[in-house]
Each structure stands twice: as structure tokens, then as C-alpha cells.
Amino acid sequence: MKRSITLKDIALHFNVSISTVSKALNDSHDISIALKAKIKEYARSNNYRPNPYARNLRKKDNRTIGVVIPNILNYFFAQVFSGIEKVANENGYNLISCISNESLAKEKNTIEILERGLVSGLLISLSEGTEKSGDYEHLKSFADNGIPIVMFDRVTDLVACDKVIIDDFNGAFEATTHLIRTGCKNIAIISPLDNLNIGKQRLKGYLTALEKNGLPPNPNLIIKIFEEELFEAEVRALLTRNRVDGILGLEEFSAINAMKIAMSLGYEIPEDLSIIGFTNGQLPQYVSPRITSVSQHGKFIGEQATHKLIQRIENNKEDSMEEFSTQKLKTSLVIRESTKPLNF
Amino acid sequence: MKRSITLKDIALHFNVSISTVSKALNDSHDISIALKAKIKEYARSNNYRPNPYARNLRKKDNRTIGVVIPNILNYFFAQVFSGIEKVANENGYNLISCISNESLAKEKNTIEILERGLVSGLLISLSEGTEKSGDYEHLKSFADNGIPIVMFDRVTDLVACDKVIIDDFNGAFEATTHLIRTGCKNIAIISPLDNLNIGKQRLKGYLTALEKNGLPPNPNLIIKIFEEELFEAEVRALLTRNRVDGILGLEEFSAINAMKIAMSLGYEIPEDLSIIGFTNGQLPQYVSPRITSVSQHGKFIGEQATHKLIQRIENNKEDSMEEFSTQKLKTSLVIRESTKPLNF
DNA sequence: CTGAAAGCGCTAACAT
DNA sequence: ATGTTAGCGCTTTCAG
């Protein structure tokens, strides 16, 4: 690597001390306006950039945020990531990003690397493996170091930190209520997320909606998928052995794939069967019929989480210990063609 | 941040010097086996991790790769990214990632930040703004620093570095040839990518396929889209004012959206109109009819580019100047329902 | 085999 | 208003 210009070089050029240059560049009031101007001008035209490693060695302020995401091929997380990137960039932060690939081991490994001062804050959505195992020691230890964490979407009560989540309970509650209002009586729920807290919350929202409307829950209509390969068989069985006139899919693919299966079995959508899916990505808008979806506003979640983290990082310095907060974002139901119209 | 254990702490504990500990941990032959074992054991059990900033200040080896991607919401780039992440992780490299958002200004800014020694290598796919402007100074300057660059997918001849691309010409050539073989005579091409080199290559492949099969090119069937808002109007005009029996869409959305428009105009797919699209994401498999696609093997591109970069980084040290290479990956045509069967 | 010392580039007391 | 100095944590000669 070609040697790049340092404070020393500038100091030599002006025949002043290194600290003078440092202060000038940091716009200190100590330095005369004239000198500051000259030094800054010279620095700019010589394309001076402080060495980030040297700076971080001194200050515990490296303007870098660690991001851990379970799976970037998931459109929701890609949306969140784009929100994170936007806000980080606006505030002059870099991102070190890792994909945990839904694995506890990889998540732990990643966190350990970041822990040694590589980042001044962490944004994380828990991997499925982590939630399943219930092992949060790596995160607790990270938080103990005093580096702020903001969890988003997939969070746990067992780690004390700020959180940004969607109202999973209400999202499912509203979706189920919508199905009921449009005339569905036998509503199934398909959950590939039962290892995750968000999956459990959504299930509760579904059950509560049924209850409030006087519909008894039917265990045969509650399908938990733990292995992707079993999806087709389970849904096929659901649709052939039971009377079903509504389906709530807890993530993007469960709704879409269930719809494909139902159509292949001769169901008319939405006349015979209404479908709503969580996550409003590209897919639900492109299939036909277009699928009514619970929108999770992924980009906004990313933006909010990053704002909170940066605020926490910058306040941390001033030692004003603020209480941890959990921001719960509303979902919205985007009504399309896979559900019947409301009948007043 | 809680103070984490340093070489000094270990040295104090064993009453030896810091340099002894450093050497022991680096497995130097200078240190006695016994001492090394004790020190290593102590370090491990106290969870010692070298401070990455301090280390990098000394050595120009930071095991960090910069990644610049035009748009993470694009499924192809998400795939590439997952390939990059996998290989980087396997080799113990961290990723600093940035999204250029198709903007030259943002790309420049990003590169400048990374330039000052933050990363020991760069993976980049050019933003549309950059290709359009033809301004590659930021990349040339980056390369001049001696930090290796590997460009993928969207590359330019004007910067000397390693490249990993797909065979865009042949991908389009084969797709067009397939349309011709299945009986299409009036094949249109829809290109929202004409600002990009890959778009131009694909157009050439299309034209060459027509020529080789004795079909004269028709300028009315060559649609270049420079503003997304105009897409619908242009395609609608294409389909109403001309006889068209085949469409080649140069990226995912152009094929899908064109198909929607054609269907709304009463075209039967593939009987009246055959469609092939570049990029094999989720969408082409989920719409109906499912769309025949040119698969670009995004994850593989990411893996290959990262392998090459790491190899370059590690060889750089040994100063063995190897020639820059361009690896051109084959595309493959995934045949689905939007094209007619081959008639033998 | 082990240690002392210098220095990477920068910041921040503490002089002057 | 400017300079001196010490030191962040680590590696690396060079001496013992």
C-alpha cells in the first residue's frame, strides 16, 4: 500500500508540530483562523484522511456498527439492511456485516470477533438456532462490555438492551379478524416459525382473534412446520382432511406455497379459500391472485433501530444512562385479491 | 467499554515482558515450549483477543474486505453477497459493506473511506451512475494504493484489476437462439440496462443470434428504458404497434412486467408470445406461467470473486505480481413455461 | 531463550 | 496560539 499522507507530513510541510495540525484539523479553538485555513486547505488538496486504526486505538469511537442478520436472501432482512445502511451512512458510520445463517455457532463466532472493540455498537436479529437453544450468553457478555446493542425483529427478553420490533400479536390479530369479517369460519394457520418468539406471538394473535369472535380453535388447523421438506405434505394433508376456508401464513413463503398447493387441489382463491401472508415482499404482488399481506415495513425497522443505536452510542459517552426501550411498530394490512371483500 | 485483557495483563501475570507474551502467542520459535503452553492456556481461558486496531496500526494486514454493491434489494446482488460472505467467513475475513445505491457520488465517497487502509481488498460491482459517467478515477486511485480490487458483474476495461463476470453476450445469444428455435420470428428486446456494459453485451448477443439465423433486426423491437416510469407505456406501445412473438427481458423485472402487460392485452403466453428474462430469482418461478430464465449463478460469482481477492491479498505480500485475469462464467438457460417446446 | 525499546498515527493533557 | 509529551496495544528489531 502506498504510504498515505499523515499528520506528520503536514506538520513537516508547515514547520509546525503534529499536535497543531491535529487540532487544526479538528477545528480546535486553540489554533488561529489563518493557520487552520491553510492546514485544512493543504490537507484537503493532498487528500488527507486520518488513519482509522490509529484513531480508534486512542478513542473508543470508531464509527463502526456491527450488523448480524440471519439470512440476506430473505427479502424482509434485505429491506431492513437497506434501512440500516441508509441511516448509518447519513451519520457517517460504517457497517461490518455478518450473516449468521440461522446458526447459533456462527452467530457466537461473529459476536466474539466484533466484541474486541471492532465496533461501537451492534444491530442484531437473532438466528433461529439461537432462539431455539435459548443460549444468549454471547450477547450478555457483549452487552457487559458496555457496547450498546439494538435487537430488531427477532429479540429476546433475556438480554437487556434496546429493541425494535413489530407488533406481531396485533398483526396476526388483525389479519385473522379480517378473514373472519370477510366470512371465513375455518381458518388455518401455517407457522414455520414456531421456534421463534415472533412465531409464538403471531399464533397468540390468531387464537385471540378467533376467541373474540366466538370461533373455537381447532388443533387440526394449526400447522407448525419444522422442516421445509415437510411443507407440501403437511399443507396438502391440511387441505384434504379438513374443511378450511381461510389461511394465515406466518411468513412470505408459507402463504404463497400454500396458495399454489390449494390451487392445484382445485380451490378457487378467494371464493373457496382466502389467504393472508406475513411479510410484504415482491412475491405477493406478482403471483396471481395477488396476496393480501401483513406489511412489516422492513426498511423502517432498520432505520429506527439504527437511529436508536447511534443515539445510544453517542449518549454512552456522556454517560447519561437512559432506560432500555422497546419500540413496537405497527404492521399494516395490505388488502389484495386473495381475500374476499368486506360485506357490510 | 469494559477494559479487555491485553498483552500487558498477561505479561504482568507471568512476570515476563510484553514482547515475550506477544511472541508466545504468535508461536515464535524464540520462546520455550513450556512457557508458550502456559501463556497460551492463560490467554485462552481469559478469552484474550488481540486488539484489531492496534494490530493493524503495525501490520498492513487487517483481514477485512470492503464490499460495494449497487442495490441489496436486487435478488441477484443478495445472492452474490451471500456467496461473498460465505467465502470471506471461511477464510477469517470480515466484511465492510456499502450500498452505492446506483450513485457515482455515493460510490466515490465509500471508496474514499475505505481507501485509507480500512480494508485490505475491495469487491465491487459498478453503480449505474458510475458506468454512465465513465468516471473511474476513484477506483484507479484506489488501485494505485496497491490494494487489490476484484470487480464482479458490472465491470469496466478502464480499471486494471481482476474481474469475475458472466458471459452476457452468450447468455443473450443462447436465449435468443432458443426463442428462434421454438418458432419466434419477431423478437423484441427490452433493456433497462443500456447505461451498463452488461446491457450492451446482451444486446450484441441478441443481434448476433438474429443475424446468424437470417432474421433482420427491427429497430422498433429494440426498447431501451431509461426511466422506470416509462416502462409500461413503452412496452404497451411495443405490443400494440408491432407484431411481436418473442421477448427477451434483460433483467428480472422487465420480463415479468412485460408478461403482465402482454397478458392484460390478451396475449396468450407462450402461444402468442414467448418470454425469456435474465436473472433467475424467486419471481420467475412463482408467477404463472413460470418464466424461462437465464440463470446468472449469483452466489457462485460472489464465491469466485472472493476467492480471487483473498488469493490476491495473500500473494501481494509475497510480491509475486501475477497478471490480472478475467473469469467469465457461463450462464444457463432454465426452461420453464413462458416459452414453447422445441420442435424437432 | 527472554527483554528493552522504538514506533505505527493519532489524541489530549499539560506546558509554554 | 502553539509545542511537548505520553501513551493507546501491538510487533519487531536488536541486545543480552
Side-chain angles (χ1 to χ4, degrees):
Chain A
M1 197 170 80
K2 210 174 54 182
R3 219 182 73 77
S4 41
I5 184 173
T6 70
L7 290 187
K8 198 175 175 179
D9 300 323
I10 303 181
L12 244 40
H13 178 259
F14 285 104
N15 228 324
V16 295
S17 76
I18 293 175
S19 62
T20 301
V21 178
S22 170
K23 285 178 199 163
L25 259 18
N26 288 308
D27 212 21
S28 157
H29 278 286
D30 280 356
I31 310 295
S32 70
I33 311 267
L35 221 206
K36 273 202 283 197
K38 276 200 294 182
I39 290 182
K40 281 184 176 178
E41 169 48 27
Y42 183 79
R44 189 177 9 261
S45 66
N46 284 73
N47 202 17
Y48 168 79
R49 300 255 150 189
N51 178 319
Y53 293 96
R55 156 173 277 161
N56 184 252
L57 196 51
R58 288 288 312 179
K59 326 217 298 172
K60 286 304 162 212
D61 161 27
N62 52 14
R63 300 234 137 213
T64 301
I65 291 173
V67 183
V68 182
I69 276 180
N71 172 11
I72 194 70
L73 291 176
N74 181 164
Y75 193 76
F76 169 70
F77 286 121
Q79 284 183 99
V80 176
F81 191 76
S82 75
I84 291 173
E85 212 278 337
K86 173 164 172 272
V87 173
N89 187 256
E90 283 166 2
N91 289 275
Y93 281 75
N94 288 313
L95 256 31
I96 294 202
S97 35
C98 311
I99 301 175
S100 63
N101 220 1
E102 303 290 7
S103 136
L104 169 65
K106 184 135 187 256
E107 184 180 298
K108 271 191 165 171
N109 182 33
T110 294
I111 300 284
E112 256 182 42
I113 292 169
L114 298 181
E115 192 163 6
R116 204 43 51 140
L118 247 193
V119 296
S120 34
L122 181 69
L123 291 170
I124 183 171
S125 191
L126 266 15
S127 83
E128 182 171 354
T130 305
E131 281 207 56
K132 199 172 167 183
S133 76
D135 177 0
Y136 303 110
E137 288 313 313
H138 53 303
L139 291 164
K140 287 181 193 164
S141 135
F142 192 96
D144 282 348
N145 280 329
I147 307 176
I149 300 180
V150 176
M151 291 194 184
F152 59 92
D153 192 53
R154 281 142 66 154
V155 307
T156 173
D157 290 342
L158 300 178
V159 177
C161 65
D162 293 306
K163 284 150 204 168
V164 178
I165 56 178
I166 59 159
D167 193 337
D168 291 286
F169 176 89
N170 252 308
F173 180 85
E174 284 170 12
T176 310
T177 303
H178 186 78
L179 288 171
I180 296 171
R181 286 213 195 123
T182 59
C184 302
K185 302 243 180 286
N186 304 286
I187 302 170
I189 182 166
I190 302 179
S191 171
L193 306 177
D194 207 64
N195 284 324
L196 300 174
N197 190 38
I198 55 171
K200 291 177 180 132
Q201 293 303 319
R202 292 175 194 178
L203 180 56
K204 275 193 205 163
Y206 158 84
L207 290 171
T208 305
L210 292 185
E211 194 194 325
K212 285 223 172 158
N213 289 277
L215 294 174
N218 177 350
N220 294 329
L221 303 189
I222 298 176
I223 311 294
K224 298 178 180 176
I225 313 271
F226 294 102
E227 285 183 60
E228 221 183 306
E229 298 76 45
L230 269 45
F231 187 94
E232 174 139 8
E234 301 239 24
V235 174
R236 198 172 281 276
L238 166 75
L239 290 172
T240 47
R241 295 195 201 142
N242 304 275
R243 232 189 117 181
V244 183
D245 56 12
I247 289 183
L248 176 61
L250 293 200
E251 42 80 272
E252 191 161 12
F253 286 93
S254 46
I256 291 177
N257 287 329
M259 186 168 87
K260 295 266 168 202
I261 294 169
M263 286 167 80
S264 77
L265 291 171
Y267 280 83
E268 294 289 323
I269 315 289
E271 292 76 9
D272 305 334
L273 179 67
S274 297
I275 295 183
I276 298 184
F278 261 77
T279 300
N280 186 28
Q282 304 168 313
L283 254 18
Q285 312 178 42
Y286 273 95
V287 292
S288 45
R290 289 151 60 233
I291 298 184
T292 296
S293 306
V294 179
S295 174
Q296 299 177 68
H297 309 295
K299 188 168 182 188
F300 189 63
I301 293 179
E303 291 172 359
Q304 290 304 107
T306 311
H307 272 133
K308 186 170 278 188
L309 182 66
I310 289 176
Q311 179 200 325
R312 182 67 75 174
I313 290 170
E314 314 210 322
N315 276 354
N316 237 1
K317 293 180 208 157
E318 295 147 27
D319 242 3
S320 69
M321 262 322 259
E322 198 192 325
E323 285 291 309
F324 290 125
S325 73
T326 294
Q327 184 178 0
K328 197 181 268 190
L329 268 20
K330 286 216 184 318
T331 59
S332 42
L333 193 63
V334 180
I335 294 173
R336 299 207 181 89
E337 302 156 1
S338 67
T339 45
K340 288 176 282 188
L342 280 171
N343 37 9
F344 298 105
Chain B
M1 196 170 82
K2 209 173 58 183
R3 220 180 71 77
S4 41
I5 183 173
T6 69
L7 289 186
K8 197 175 179 180
D9 301 322
I10 303 181
L12 244 40
H13 178 261
F14 285 106
N15 228 323
V16 294
S17 76
I18 293 176
S19 57
T20 302
V21 178
S22 170
K23 285 179 198 163
L25 259 18
N26 287 309
D27 213 22
S28 157
H29 278 285
D30 280 356
I31 310 294
S32 69
I33 311 268
L35 220 206
K36 272 202 283 197
K38 276 202 291 183
I39 290 181
K40 281 182 175 177
E41 168 50 26
Y42 183 80
R44 189 177 8 260
S45 65
N46 284 73
N47 201 18
Y48 168 79
R49 300 250 152 191
N51 178 318
Y53 292 96
R55 157 172 278 161
N56 184 253
L57 196 50
R58 289 288 315 189
K59 326 219 295 175
K60 288 302 164 216
D61 161 27
N62 53 14
R63 299 232 137 216
T64 301
I65 292 173
V67 183
V68 182
I69 275 180
N71 172 10
I72 194 68
L73 291 176
N74 182 173
Y75 193 76
F76 169 70
F77 286 120
Q79 284 182 100
V80 176
F81 191 75
S82 75
I84 291 173
E85 212 279 337
K86 173 162 171 274
V87 173
N89 187 255
E90 284 166 2
N91 289 276
Y93 280 76
N94 289 314
L95 255 32
I96 294 201
S97 34
C98 311
I99 301 174
S100 63
N101 221 1
E102 304 290 8
S103 135
L104 169 65
K106 183 133 187 257
E107 183 180 301
K108 270 191 164 171
N109 183 32
T110 295
I111 300 284
E112 258 183 41
I113 292 170
L114 298 180
E115 192 163 6
R116 203 45 48 139
L118 247 192
V119 297
S120 32
L122 181 69
L123 291 169
I124 184 171
S125 191
L126 265 16
S127 83
E128 182 171 353
T130 305
E131 282 207 55
K132 198 171 168 184
S133 76
D135 177 0
Y136 304 110
E137 287 313 312
H138 52 305
L139 291 163
K140 287 181 193 164
S141 136
F142 192 96
D144 282 348
N145 280 328
I147 307 176
I149 300 180
V150 176
M151 291 193 185
F152 59 92
D153 193 54
R154 279 141 67 155
V155 307
T156 173
D157 289 342
L158 301 177
V159 178
C161 65
D162 293 307
K163 284 150 204 170
V164 179
I165 55 177
I166 59 161
D167 193 335
D168 290 286
F169 176 89
N170 253 307
F173 179 85
E174 284 170 12
T176 309
T177 304
H178 185 79
L179 288 170
I180 297 171
R181 286 214 196 122
T182 59
C184 301
K185 303 244 181 284
N186 303 288
I187 302 172
I189 183 167
I190 303 180
S191 171
L193 306 177
D194 208 65
N195 284 324
L196 300 173
N197 190 36
I198 56 172
K200 292 178 180 130
Q201 292 303 318
R202 292 175 193 178
L203 180 56
K204 275 192 205 165
Y206 157 85
L207 291 171
T208 306
L210 292 186
E211 191 193 328
K212 285 222 172 160
N213 287 278
L215 295 173
N218 176 350
N220 294 329
L221 303 189
I222 298 175
I223 310 295
K224 299 179 181 176
I225 313 271
F226 294 103
E227 284 183 62
E228 222 183 304
E229 299 74 46
L230 269 44
F231 187 93
E232 175 139 8
E234 302 239 24
V235 174
R236 197 172 281 276
L238 165 75
L239 291 171
T240 47
R241 294 195 202 143
N242 303 277
R243 229 187 120 181
V244 182
D245 56 12
I247 289 183
L248 176 61
L250 292 199
E251 41 80 274
E252 193 161 10
F253 286 94
S254 47
I256 291 178
N257 289 329
M259 185 168 86
K260 295 265 169 204
I261 294 169
M263 286 166 79
S264 77
L265 291 172
Y267 280 83
E268 294 289 321
I269 316 288
E271 292 76 12
D272 304 335
L273 179 66
S274 298
I275 295 182
I276 297 184
F278 261 76
T279 300
N280 186 26
Q282 302 169 314
L283 253 20
Q285 311 177 41
Y286 273 96
V287 292
S288 45
R290 291 153 56 236
I291 298 183
T292 296
S293 305
V294 179
S295 175
Q296 298 178 68
H297 310 295
K299 188 169 182 186
F300 188 64
I301 293 178
E303 290 171 2
Q304 289 304 108
T306 311
H307 272 133
K308 186 170 276 189
L309 182 66
I310 289 176
Q311 179 202 323
R312 183 68 73 177
I313 290 171
E314 315 210 322
N315 276 355
N316 237 3
K317 292 180 208 158
E318 295 146 25
D319 241 3
S320 69
M321 264 321 261
E322 199 191 325
E323 284 291 308
F324 291 123
S325 73
T326 294
Q327 184 179 359
K328 198 181 268 190
L329 269 20
K330 285 215 181 323
T331 58
S332 40
L333 194 62
V334 180
I335 294 173
R336 299 208 180 88
E337 302 156 3
S338 67
T339 44
K340 288 176 280 188
L342 280 172
N343 37 7
F344 298 105

